[in-house]
Structures are given as structure tokens and as C-alpha cells.
Amino acid sequence: MSRLLAAIAVFAIVVSSFAFSSNVALGHEHRNVGPYTFVVGWLVEPAYVNYANGLSLDVTETEGGKPLEGLEKTIKAEVIVGGGAKTLSLNLAADEESPGHYQGRFIPTKTGDYIFHLFGNAGPTNVDERFESGPNTFDGAVSADQLQFPDKVPANADLAARLDQLQTLVIAGIVVAGLAVIASVGGLVMRRT
Amino acid sequence: MRRLAVIVACVLGGVALFGSIADAHANYVRSNPASDARLVKPPADVRIEFSEPPDPKGSDIQVLDASGKRHDKGDVAPSGDPNGLKVSVGPIGDGGYVVAWTATSAVDGHTTRGNFAFVIGSGPLPAVPDVGASALPPEPLEIAGRALSYAGIALGLGTAFFVLFLRVPADSEEIRRESMLLLAAGALVFVGSVALIAEQGSKLPPRLGAVLAIRAFTGVVLAALSVAPPLARMRPVAALANGAGVMTLGALSLDRPRRVIALAAGLAAALTATLVSHATALGSVKSMVLDFTHILAISVWTGGVVALLVIVLLRARENTPEQRRALGATVWRFSVTALIAVALLVTAGALQAFDRLVLINDLYETPYGIALAVKIAMLVIALAIGALNLLRWGPRLRAGLAARAALVRDTIAESAIFVVIILAAAFLTAFAPPAQPSAAAYDQTQHVSVLRLEMLVASAQPGRNRYVLRVHQGLAPVQSAEKVAFRFTMIEHDMGEQELVAVERAPGEYVADGSPTAMFGTWRIKAIVRLTGREDVTTVFTLPVGAGGTGTSVVITAAPYTLIVFTDPSQAQAGAPLAIFVVVIGQDGSPVTGKALRATFSGPSAQAPIDAVEDAATLGPGRYKIAIAALDAGAWKVTIGIGNEVSGTYSLEVSR
């Protein structure tokens, strides 16, 4: 009986985890590049901001499905945000336990879309492909706010924005204070005259 | 004062009578064929409706094929719509066509231009050429004409008001100075009006010409009254003034008739300024009355300061305490009047600014806003000087102490600042205000990461739709974005996320067609703008999609919340049960739950406040229901309060 209850509990947890993430378009993008199939996405999904993650790349021969190994030496990978505002070269590493699978680890620090750019050679095939997160591919990085309990930890970007606002307020306060001092001195001088 | 009230009432009545006169920039609203329309057969004509009456004489509509060859007949004429023009089209075959239009406002002669495309058959839409800014920048002669006119109106009106109601000139020298000011005012009004007519040249619209001619005539009247005071005492002129009920001869002093006529001329000139202003662009009597009040108030204040300086202060003597006290009394009377004028000025100006600015950023990102900001800054400085006169120099004079020299110095400084204010007003009235009408059912603007993003959605109905994002940085459209995409999610139901990628149809205008908002409800549109070398700029727009063609949902901003409000039934009937639904959206575009909403009512009869019911399971997250047993017929204002935080007002028309 206890085993049955435990099984039901596990099942409920799994189902509820699907429900929780139902708004997230999980997945990997599949794309044929020459005779190969590239499957690109996140190592860990959903990709939460400020949690270790990275590029997940699987390459197989389209016909037959044979994994393509050794690409860590011939393919370069980089991750891009926006229109190339910031680019990070990834250290592409082969997964020894899973042939044809490669990882490029990094920690996403902003919510939104990410672009994985792969370029180089896969066998005799030139590769220059951009894989972009989106509703039809793989999801972008999302905030971990929903998971935080009991207190939500502000993201670094939010903290920076708040500091910027604070700085603006401080500057405004200094200006107002300066004007008040000038007005006070002016009033004193005029009263004496 | 009674006579003044009669004059003001007459002129305000005149404004109300001219309430149907519209606008100051003729902007494209809609057309037939519509922009980017796909037709199965060629149209007989192309009709365009603008936001205000265009003058056919100075307007043009060209229908061009891919090679630039014209296919219209050049017979631009009113289309029959109040603000419409049409041009006949010759026989044309399948293919893409561009309609290039130029419209001249019948109100103030401002020229706007633009173009759109349509296609006959199944071919591709042609590219829409870049024609630059829609509204052309004003010519220096126009700015000069406006500045001179406004300076003349303020001086004439302010001087006449000052000598009639605040300080009657005491001797011939003061009368000479008064005449000198009126002469200057008349000359400024006349020269300014002529400059505006000259700037328009042959494309001068008849209505604008008539209004400017009236303004020039008022300038002539002001100047004639000053150089020939006896003119006012001539029997026909006096009889005319008497017949208008603005004065009574006989008991009046000899100079009073011409002052009354000068005041009337100033009021008439001020009215002409309102009739060709942006105020009428909103098409409401309210905005015109506000504008006229604004002009009157600033004229009484600025012209009054100059009159006080020239007629009184420059030749006043303060050898004895009595002379100082008399001068102090005059300054006090004027200060009180100026305070009232400034209160009216600021109130009317602020209410107008709310109507014409879209974002606070408009104050430094648009020509109109920059001119307004300069005007506000100068106004604050002038107010500070005025406060000094009121609180420091006035009391000193009334106490019998010397302060004339300081008053002269300060009023000269004030007058110099007024010159800048009037120049800023000239720019302000020449530029198109940021708030412009569009044909879109949804039109919202946000400022995100230095970009100005305006989302327009053609229809508020479920189904296929057109989504347009206008992207500007400062004053310039942002062209050649790497990617502009819209991602759609529904708030009430999990319908997944859909994406449309937009294409640039015109500089800074990105368009996508599709049917992602296929269902009645509230949709989040996440707009993503990707520019080379920059991080993505994203923001969320909240689009209410109405049901059954009613389109009654309205968006109310009650920062930090956005309220989507609609009724069931969509047409409220008197005496019948009614539900008002409110969807509360947070800053991140998510529905806000757990709030206490209360509706308070103001309308044709009493109605007790009603607390909203939140039932996420039945209504959906963030959706609140205000159940009303019945309302009387008429216009209601429903103030929806969210706890003690904020509130927004929803206008509800209940029919019989």
C-alpha cells in the first residue's frame, strides 16, 4: 500500500511539474546542416537566470543517426545576446559518456533570448549556423523568481537598475539642496541690505 | 468688471460656435484602398481620410506603379467625407502600386506627406519609399510671423486690460505711453499676420487667409486707435461699440471708448490665434476654450507687466512715502491680477499638455516637447521674479520704503523672459504635437531603453489582424533593425506562445500580419526589437480583444497597473442588470490577483459604491467583476479604486 502511495506521489509531482512549466516552450531546435542533424538547446531546461547552464549540442548523421564525434576540435561556439551586443566564446567539450553530444557551459545572467552561433567544419561540411531561442525552437532564459521561497532574491540587473534610480534621486536631491542653500544665502544677503 | 464679463462671455461663445473647426496637421487616418490592401480588381478612385480638413488646392494624391509612372488623373477633390480627398484612377492592371499623398491643412496651412501601397492580384506588395518626416519643419518666416503676432496680441490685450481695470493713466504722458504700447502691439500683430500670409504664398487656404486677415485688421485697429484717439470718438465707431453692448457713451471719459475697443481688438486677435491652433486638433470645444483661456491669461500677465513697466514704473516718483504707497497699491493690484492669470495659465496649459503629450519623454525627445519645456522653464523663472516683486518689493513700497529701482530692474528682466516664452510658443504652435490620431483600434506608446515604441493594432476583434510597431530613437525612426518580433500570450488561458516576425514597411515602421489573437480576451504582446550591436529591447503591450464586434474594452492606466475594463452586456441598458469586468495587469504584464477593487459612481442619479468580486476560478486570474443591479440612462463616470493605492475612471454610457 505504501509503495502504491509513493508511486502516486511521484506521479503527482511529475504531473505538477509539467503544469508548473506549461507556459515554457521547452525543447531543442533540430536543423539539418549538410548530411548532419544538429540539435541545439540548453543543457538544463528551463534555463533560469544566474544558474549554471550552457549550450547543448547533439550532432548525428541524418541518415542512420550515427553520432558525429570530434567536433570539439573543428567547431567553435559562441553565445550572443541581442544584436551582437555581447558575445561569449564557449569552450565546447565532448561528452565522453554520450558520443555526438557536446556542451558549452556558461551562466545566463539576463532574461530573454539567446543565440548560439556555431561555425567551423563538421567533416567536409562548412558550418555557420545561428540557433535562436523562441517559441518554435528553445526557450530563452527566464527569471527564477517563481521558485524562490520564502524571500525573493533580486537579480543583479534589478539591483543595478535600482542603484541607478537611487543615484538619480541622490543627484536630484543634491541639486535641490544646492538651490535651497543659494536661495537661503540670497535671502540673508537681501535681508541685510 | 461686468462689461469685461460680457466681452469674455461673447468671445467664449464665439469659440463654442467655431467648435467644429478642426485641427492643425492633416494626418492620414484611413484610405480606400487601405494601406497594404490586396484587391481583386482595380479601384475607380483612391480616397484618403485625414485627421482634419485638408485644402484640396494645396494637396495632392499620386498613384504610381513600380516604375514610378502616374496612373491617377490628377483631379484631387473632396471625397464627401468631412476630412476626405479623392483622386480618380485610370485603367490599371495587376501589380503593386504606391499612393503618395501630400496634404495641406485647411486650418493653418501646415503640409504633411506620406505614402502607402496596395496590390491588385496576387503579386508582392511594392516597397514604400522613404519620404522622410510626415510633417515638414516650419519655415523661419512662419516662426517669425507667429512670434510677432503673439507678442502683439499679448501686448495689446495686456495693455488694454491694464489701463481699463488696474490703473487708468493719470496724465497726458501716461496716455502717450499707453498709445505707444498699443501702436507697437498693432504693428506687431499686423506684421506678424502679413508674414504668415506671405509664408503660405499661393497655397494659402481660404479659411486660414480669412482668419489671418481678421487678425491683421485687429492690428490695424489697435494701431489706428493709438495714433488717432479721436477715431474712437467718431459717432459710427462709438455707436458700433455701444451697439455691441460693451460700453456706454456719455458717462465714460473720452479715452475709455478706445480702450474698450482696444480690448475687444485684442480679444479678437487672441481668438484668431485659437482658431488656427493645435487646440482645435482634438475637435472638442473644451480644448479650444482651454487654449483661448491660456492665451488670455498669458496676455494679461505678460502684456500687463510691460504696461506696468512702461506706463507706471519708468516714470513713477517715490520722493514721498505717499507716492511710494500709491505705487505699492498699483503693484499690489497688478500682482493679484497676475496671480489669477498665472493660475489660469498653468491650469489651462497643463490640461492641454496632458492631451497633446503621449509620454513625459516627449518633453525632450520631440520638437513640440522641447519648445514646451523651454516655455515651462522660462515661466518658472518669470514666476520667481514675479514672486519677488509680490513678496518683497510690493510690501516695501506699501510700507513707504523705496523699491522702484528694484521693481524696474525685475520687470525688465521679466519682459526679456517673456520674449523667450513667446518665441517658444511660436515654435510650439508650429510643430505637430506628439499625440496624433491614428486609425488603429489600439494605439499605445512606451519608452524603453531610449527607444520610443508605439504599438498599433488595426482591429480590436478576434481573428486576423495587423500589428504595427513604430520605433523611434529621439526624433529619428529606427531603421533596418536586425529583427522585430511580436510574441503573443493570452492572460486568461494558457494558449502557448506564438511569434510573428515583422518586416519594415516604412522607415521605423515594422508590420506583421497574422491571427495570433484569435480569441476574445486579454493578450500580452511582447515586442522585441533587436538592433545591431545592442541588447534586445523588449516590452509588453496589453491588448484587449473584444467579442462580437462591440469593441467596448478600454485600457485605463492607473500606474503601476493597467486596467482592461469592459461591460456585459456590451451596450448598457437602463434598468437592466450590468456587469463591469476589470482585468488588472501589473507592470510585467501579468494579471494582478488579491486586490480589493471598489467602484464609485457619478452620473445622472445616486448609486452606492460596489465592491468587486474576484473569482479566479470562474473569471480568470486578475479579473474582477462589479455586479450592478441597474443604472439610470445617461453618462456615468465609474471610478475604480484598487485598495487605497490608485484609481482610474471608466466612462459608461447607459442607453434608454
Side-chain angles (χ1 to χ4, degrees):
Chain A
M1 189 63 186
S2 60
R3 285 183 179 176
L4 179 63
L5 287 174
I8 291 172
V10 169
F11 180 73
I13 290 169
V14 171
V15 169
S16 62
S17 70
F18 279 118
F20 172 75
S21 58
S22 62
N23 279 324
V24 181
L26 301 177
H28 284 58
E29 182 178 356
H30 294 243
R31 188 182 298 177
N32 290 339
V33 180
Y36 307 110
T37 296
F38 280 53
V39 181
V40 171
W42 294 100
L43 280 176
V44 181
E45 292 185 319
Y48 289 113
V49 165
N50 292 333
Y51 286 84
N53 211 319
L55 160 70
S56 166
L57 168 66
D58 289 277
V59 184
T60 54
E61 289 178 358
T62 304
E63 288 190 12
K66 181 186 173 189
L68 193 62
E69 297 185 69
L71 289 187
E72 73 275 14
K73 296 169 189 162
T74 60
I75 291 270
K76 291 184 184 303
E78 58 188 18
V79 59
I80 303 167
V81 291
K86 289 174 183 169
T87 301
L88 173 69
S89 291
L90 299 175
N91 185 16
L92 204 60
D95 185 344
E96 292 178 357
E97 295 179 359
S98 178
H101 179 63
Y102 305 88
Q103 302 175 350
R105 292 188 175 273
F106 71 99
I107 300 175
T109 56
K110 292 195 76 164
T111 58
D113 286 333
Y114 284 73
I115 301 166
F116 294 121
H117 181 204
L118 303 175
F119 54 101
N121 295 299
T125 304
N126 284 331
V127 175
D128 187 2
E129 300 289 328
R130 289 161 63 96
F131 295 84
E132 181 182 346
S133 61
N136 304 317
T137 54
F138 54 94
D139 205 52
V142 296
S143 167
D145 282 0
Q146 293 178 55
L147 297 178
Q148 293 173 350
F149 178 81
D151 297 322
K152 294 190 185 304
V153 180
N156 291 339
D158 292 340
L159 283 175
R162 286 184 201 176
L163 281 174
D164 283 346
Q165 287 177 349
L166 196 62
Q167 189 180 26
T168 307
L169 282 175
V170 168
I171 290 170
I174 290 170
V175 170
V176 170
L179 290 174
V181 168
I182 292 168
S184 305
V185 171
L188 279 175
V189 169
M190 292 183 75
R191 178 166 291 181
R192 290 199 172 183
T193 55
Chain B
M1 286 305 288
R2 189 181 61 80
R3 293 191 185 100
L4 175 69
V6 171
I7 294 170
V8 172
C10 290
V11 179
L12 287 180
V15 173
L17 288 175
F18 282 100
S20 62
I21 296 169
D23 222 336
H25 282 84
N27 297 299
Y28 172 95
V29 171
R30 59 178 65 85
S31 62
N32 189 4
S35 174
D36 288 356
R38 190 171 290 281
L39 310 177
V40 293
K41 64 178 185 178
D45 54 30
V46 171
R47 294 165 179 259
I48 305 178
E49 192 176 330
F50 297 94
S51 57
E52 64 181 87
D55 181 37
K57 188 178 69 175
S59 304
D60 191 24
I61 301 174
Q62 297 184 8
V63 181
L64 310 165
D65 65 16
S67 66
K69 184 185 173 189
R70 282 185 73 163
H71 292 276
D72 59 276
K73 296 180 180 175
D75 54 347
V76 176
S79 65
D81 296 320
N83 302 335
L85 291 178
K86 68 173 181 179
V87 69
S88 304
V89 179
I92 53 176
D94 285 4
Y97 296 88
V98 170
V99 179
W101 58 266
T102 304
T104 296
S105 165
V107 178
D108 69 358
H110 282 152
T111 299
T112 47
R113 63 190 177 184
N115 49 40
F116 62 91
F118 67 90
V119 66
I120 303 170
S122 57
L125 278 165
V128 178
D130 179 5
V131 295
S134 168
L136 300 174
E139 296 289 332
L141 188 59
E142 182 190 351
I143 298 295
R146 286 176 179 272
L148 293 174
S149 290
Y150 298 158
I153 291 168
L155 188 58
L157 196 51
T159 300
F161 189 91
F162 184 84
V163 296
L164 266 173
F165 301 108
L166 298 177
R167 168 69 150 70
V168 178
D171 55 33
S172 60
E173 174 57 19
E174 288 190 355
I175 292 173
R176 189 187 70 77
R177 287 169 179 259
E178 172 202 344
S179 297
M180 187 184 73
L181 288 179
L182 290 178
L183 175 63
L188 287 169
V189 170
F190 182 79
V191 173
S193 306
V194 170
L196 289 172
I197 292 171
E199 190 271 330
Q200 285 292 314
S202 59
K203 71 180 180 72
L204 177 70
R207 181 191 170 279
L208 176 62
V211 175
L212 291 178
I214 293 171
R215 188 187 295 177
F217 176 70
T218 62
V220 172
V221 170
L222 283 170
L225 288 171
S226 61
V227 296
L231 182 68
R233 299 166 205 156
M234 288 170 63
R235 192 175 297 271
V237 177
L240 183 66
N242 194 27
V246 295
M247 56 172 250
T248 307
L249 289 178
L252 298 172
S253 69
L254 291 176
D255 287 308
R256 194 166 174 84
R258 74 184 180 104
R259 288 177 185 145
V260 171
I261 294 174
L263 183 66
L267 289 170
L271 180 60
T272 64
T274 290
L275 291 179
V276 295
S277 72
H278 293 307
T280 49
L282 299 174
S284 73
V285 175
K286 182 200 82 174
S287 64
M288 296 178 75
V289 170
L290 283 177
D291 188 80
F292 189 58
T293 305
H294 193 72
I295 295 171
L296 291 188
I298 200 165
S299 298
V300 167
W301 180 34
T302 59
V305 165
V306 176
L308 175 71
L309 172 67
V310 174
I311 297 173
V312 179
L313 291 178
L314 285 178
R315 70 181 300 270
R317 296 182 181 184
E318 54 172 0
N319 297 330
T320 64
E322 287 70 29
Q323 286 175 331
R324 291 169 191 156
R325 288 194 189 96
L327 185 58
T330 301
V331 171
W332 170 250
R333 278 198 301 277
F334 178 73
S335 294
V336 171
T337 307
L339 268 180
I340 297 169
V342 167
L344 286 170
L345 172 76
V346 171
T347 306
L351 290 173
Q352 287 178 295
F354 285 134
D355 283 340
R356 291 172 205 164
L357 297 179
V358 179
L359 301 169
I360 195 70
N361 312 71
D362 291 341
L363 280 173
Y364 56 87
E365 287 193 340
T366 65
Y368 182 92
I370 291 168
L372 180 59
V374 169
K375 198 178 156 196
I376 292 170
M378 291 294 112
L379 185 75
V380 170
I381 296 172
L383 270 178
I385 297 173
L388 195 64
N389 294 341
L390 174 68
L391 300 175
R392 184 160 183 84
W393 308 130
R396 279 179 69 93
L397 284 170
R398 292 198 296 282
L401 302 172
R404 190 190 72 89
L407 268 173
V408 168
R409 181 195 62 209
D410 287 358
T411 46
I412 288 174
E414 265 189 290
S415 303
I417 291 168
F418 290 151
V419 172
V420 182
I421 289 177
I422 285 172
L423 198 58
F427 277 99
L428 193 68
T429 53
F431 289 125
Q436 294 289 325
S438 75
Y442 176 90
D443 185 349
Q444 294 283 315
T445 303
Q446 294 185 23
H447 198 275
V448 189
S449 302
V450 311
L451 295 185
R452 179 190 176 87
L453 305 177
E454 182 181 11
M455 169 65 78
L456 301 107
V457 182
S459 167
Q461 301 309 311
R464 190 167 180 80
N465 217 329
R466 161 164 287 208
Y467 310 87
V468 178
L469 190 71
R470 290 179 182 157
V471 186
H472 280 73
Q473 180 166 2
L475 307 177
V478 175
Q479 301 186 53
S480 306
E482 254 185 44
K483 178 180 179 181
V484 172
F486 308 133
R487 292 189 184 158
F488 301 82
T489 50
M490 193 180 193
I491 288 177
E492 291 88 347
H493 306 284
D494 183 1
M495 298 183 68
E497 187 177 47
Q498 299 173 70
E499 181 179 76
L500 291 179
V501 177
V503 296
E504 190 173 7
R505 291 288 297 139
E509 187 168 299
Y510 299 84
V511 180
D513 290 290
S515 50
T517 52
M519 190 172 151
F520 162 68
T522 312
W523 292 81
R524 269 185 300 211
I525 306 177
K526 182 179 179 184
I528 302 168
V529 178
R530 180 166 300 155
L531 304 175
T532 303
R534 292 165 62 167
E535 292 189 16
D536 286 353
V537 175
T538 63
T539 190
V540 173
F541 295 92
T542 306
L543 170 71
V545 175
T550 56
T552 53
S553 296
V554 296
V555 179
I556 298 171
T557 300
Y561 306 114
T562 301
L563 311 181
I564 315 293
V565 185
F566 55 94
T567 62
D568 182 21
S570 56
Q571 296 295 327
Q573 297 277 328
L578 175 71
I580 298 177
F581 289 94
V582 184
V583 185
V584 183
I585 311 296
Q587 276 181 311
D588 60 353
S590 300
V592 177
T593 58
K595 295 290 177 184
L597 267 66
R598 165 169 279 205
T600 51
F601 298 82
S602 158
S605 60
Q607 168 63 49
I610 299 175
D611 290 323
V613 175
E614 182 189 16
D615 183 355
T618 309
L619 304 173
R623 188 174 285 211
Y624 301 77
K625 181 180 180 181
I626 300 162
I628 306 166
L631 289 175
D632 288 336
W636 289 82
K637 295 281 184 193
V638 183
T639 302
I640 300 165
I642 303 176
N644 293 321
E645 301 176 61
V646 292
S647 65
T649 303
Y650 175 62
S651 297
L652 175 66
E653 188 70 34
V654 179
S655 60
R656 293 186 184 281

